[in-house]
Amino acid sequence: MDEEYDVIVLGTGLKECILSGLLSVDGLKLWKRFKGSDKPPAELGSSRDYNVDMIPKFIMANGALVRVLIHTDVTKYLSFKAVDGSFVYNKGKVHKVPATDMEALKSPLMGIFEKRRARKFFIYVQDYKESDPKTHEGMDLTKVTTRELIAKYGLDDNTVDFIGHALALHRDDRYLDEPAVDTVKRMKLYAESLARFQGGSPYIYPLYGLGELPQAFARLSAVYGGTYMLNKPECKVEFDEEGKVCGVTSEGETAKCKKVVCDPSYLPSKVRKVGKVARAIAIMSHPIPNTSESHSVQIILPQKQLGRKSDMYLFCCSYTHNVAPKGKFIAFVSTEAETDNPENELKPGVSLLGPVDEIVYETYDRSEPVNECTLDNCFVSTSYDATTHFESTVDDVLNLYTKITGKVLDLNVDLSAASAAEE
């Protein structure tokens, strides 16, 4: 270990592995963590058949993470499967998210006149090209706010709600007073991703869960000369007299380095708490009701529908993605915590699950770095948020990459290099 390295990456979470935790744990470890006993009930199936992602997130089929995977050629180590359904909670019911003008016409989310208005808006978004002013209809979307753009089409609050939160994947309503170009790009990404595999959602997910991603990046790093040191306890980051990082010590040995990449848990003095995530983890023996028998699904519950300040997210995956024994489903309900009672706070999402075999609740703090990385060469990632998709996570990875290397990663890649597994 007593050698010098350009960069030391601490931890095996996904962000850290992409730059060189989203670790899958088997059923027994999960049971011990939450229940304290050694043996889960026999009716839950074999522990070895579970690959439970502690922070599960679906991958947008045309999104930035897929581009990163292709850019690094890590896709050769991975197999993906399309996610069955993408839904939104509205007026107490679960509805499929309409992403195109034709789907808008069929959606029960809107009345007949609202459908026509929504269809016109969807056509505008589908036709919009940033480089072609003819498609802008006289509006500069870098100056026009989303609120002003929506007002032009006369859409009602319910329609705005599912467009902003379930299609554009905004986490709160601040986007309404920001330039509309970001929302339009997000909607286009959703529609393009949906069309990619002709499935019921714009998302894909790795077979055997997200734990495959860090393993794949670990293999890739090793191929290009990266060194892996596993099971190193109590890693202490060392600094020189100028306050710059100079190494990492574990078990009396110090590996010298010029830069360190890590999550907030390694350098608590260089981060601040910015929130808390509440979540429930459930094991079930059936798909989520009212989702067309989908074996993998995301449901977004917009904040206004629940009278909250932030959205709630429901993630479900099953044996079809090889993350549970035959006939078993794993569901997560997560949100930004606004109280100290996660069980009560998560009720709107948990109530959509139907009967559960087992359910546990927990909270974890969300932190972000406050250090100046140019002064100490410590590159600290932000904690994972409550969302059940990867868009915000990849933004953090790409920002860290730019800070570490001084370069912007070119993500213009051939998207056909990644494909989803057949049924």
Side-chain angles (χ1 to χ4, degrees):
M1 185 171 170
D2 290 316
E3 296 178 43
E4 179 150 4
Y5 303 89
D6 292 328
V7 179
I8 290 180
V9 180
L10 294 174
T12 47
L14 177 67
K15 294 183 186 182
E16 291 70 44
C17 285
I18 291 176
L19 290 162
S20 99
L22 287 179
L23 287 174
S24 282
V25 296
D26 69 29
L28 183 56
K29 286 178 187 167
L30 186 70
W31 191 260
K32 272 187 177 176
R33 173 174 167 177
F34 289 107
K35 297 288 190 179
S37 61
D38 277 353
K39 210 144 188 197
E43 58 266 25
L44 292 183
S46 169
S47 179
R48 287 177 305 177
D49 292 334
Y50 283 95
N51 292 293
V52 184
D53 294 314
M54 295 314 299
I55 302 180
K57 292 178 185 284
F58 288 134
I59 300 167
M60 190 72 83
N62 267 24
L65 179 57
V66 168
R67 293 171 187 274
V68 169
L69 296 176
I70 294 169
H71 176 87
T72 57
D73 203 24
V74 82
T75 46
K76 62 189 173 189
Y77 302 120
L78 297 162
S79 294
F80 294 92
K81 190 170 183 294
V83 172
D84 293 341
S86 177
F87 294 81
V88 64
Y89 179 81
N90 186 274
K91 295 181 181 174
K93 291 183 178 177
V94 173
H95 302 273
K96 185 182 185 303
V97 178
T100 65
D101 58 314
M102 295 313 292
E103 286 187 352
L105 283 176
K106 297 175 190 169
S107 175
L109 276 164
M110 299 168 283
I112 187 161
F113 295 113
E114 183 68 5
K115 282 179 180 177
R116 288 178 184 169
R117 290 189 288 266
R119 181 173 179 266
K120 285 180 184 174
F121 178 61
F122 278 121
I123 289 171
Y124 171 77
V125 171
Q126 284 161 215
D127 292 344
Y128 180 85
K129 291 185 179 66
E130 199 170 5
S131 59
D132 183 0
K134 289 178 192 168
T135 66
H136 299 182
E137 293 187 8
M139 292 181 286
D140 181 353
L141 296 194
T142 61
K143 294 176 182 165
V144 172
T145 67
T146 308
R147 193 186 299 277
E148 289 165 342
L149 175 63
I150 284 168
K152 184 187 173 189
Y153 289 91
L155 302 179
D156 70 26
D157 287 348
N158 265 323
T159 308
V160 174
D161 218 23
F162 80 73
I163 285 174
H165 294 263
L167 268 175
L169 302 177
H170 291 293
R171 286 177 280 167
D172 53 42
D173 280 346
R174 281 178 296 184
Y175 76 93
L176 287 168
D177 298 309
E178 293 169 353
V181 66
D182 178 49
T183 295
V184 168
K185 282 181 178 177
R186 285 165 172 251
M187 290 178 68
K188 286 178 78 68
L189 172 63
Y190 188 104
E192 288 160 5
S193 297
L194 183 67
R196 179 88 190 278
F197 297 119
Q198 302 294 316
S201 86
Y203 303 108
I204 56 175
Y205 195 67
L207 293 178
Y208 301 100
L210 292 175
E212 295 297 291
L213 289 184
Q215 287 185 54
F217 278 109
R219 285 180 210 154
L220 183 79
S221 179
V223 166
Y224 287 100
T227 302
Y228 270 77
M229 302 178 195
L230 300 176
N231 295 323
K232 284 290 180 184
E234 296 176 12
C235 293
K236 180 173 179 276
V237 181
E238 306 286 357
F239 296 90
D240 62 20
E241 310 82 50
E242 296 175 5
K244 286 187 185 291
V245 68
C246 60
V248 175
T249 299
S250 176
E251 297 178 312
E253 295 180 302
T254 300
K256 295 173 184 171
C257 66
K258 301 179 184 73
K259 295 174 182 176
V260 158
V261 179
C262 63
D263 69 47
S265 66
Y266 288 93
L267 289 169
S269 64
K270 294 184 181 287
V271 300
R272 67 176 175 200
K273 181 183 169 184
V274 291
K276 185 187 281 190
V277 172
R279 65 179 173 184
I281 308 170
I283 297 173
M284 313 184 301
S285 300
H286 59 85
I288 294 174
N290 306 310
T291 61
S292 308
E293 296 293 305
S294 297
H295 282 225
S296 50
V297 66
Q298 174 181 263
I299 304 173
I300 293 179
L301 294 80
Q303 56 183 67
K304 274 187 189 166
Q305 299 293 325
L306 307 176
R308 293 172 47 80
K309 295 174 192 164
S310 49
D311 293 354
M312 193 171 292
Y313 301 88
L314 204 161
F315 167 106
C316 181
C317 218
S318 71
Y319 61 94
T320 59
H321 273 86
N322 301 339
V323 299
K326 183 84 173 165
K328 293 296 180 186
F329 295 74
I330 299 167
F332 281 72
V333 182
S334 56
T335 190
E336 185 71 18
E338 296 173 11
T339 71
D340 292 324
N341 187 343
E343 199 165 330
N344 191 54
E345 199 163 349
L346 293 167
K347 261 184 189 168
V350 171
S351 67
L352 299 177
L353 298 179
V356 299
D357 300 338
E358 293 287 345
I359 188 165
V360 292
Y361 295 86
E362 73 161 357
T363 59
Y364 66 86
D365 289 339
R366 220 163 40 75
S367 302
E368 66 180 18
V370 292
N371 65 310
E372 181 49 68
C373 56
T374 55
L375 300 179
D376 58 17
N377 285 338
C378 293
F379 301 88
V380 186
S381 62
T382 57
S383 303
Y384 295 103
D385 59 32
T387 60
T388 45
H389 53 78
F390 262 112
E391 297 311 290
S392 54
T393 299
V394 181
D395 287 345
D396 188 33
V397 170
L398 296 177
N399 287 337
L400 278 173
Y401 177 86
T402 300
K403 286 177 182 176
I404 294 165
T405 65
K407 303 173 191 168
V408 175
L409 190 63
D410 180 9
L411 293 180
N412 290 312
V413 295
D414 177 12
L415 284 165
S416 64
S419 60
E422 295 295 322
E423 286 293 333

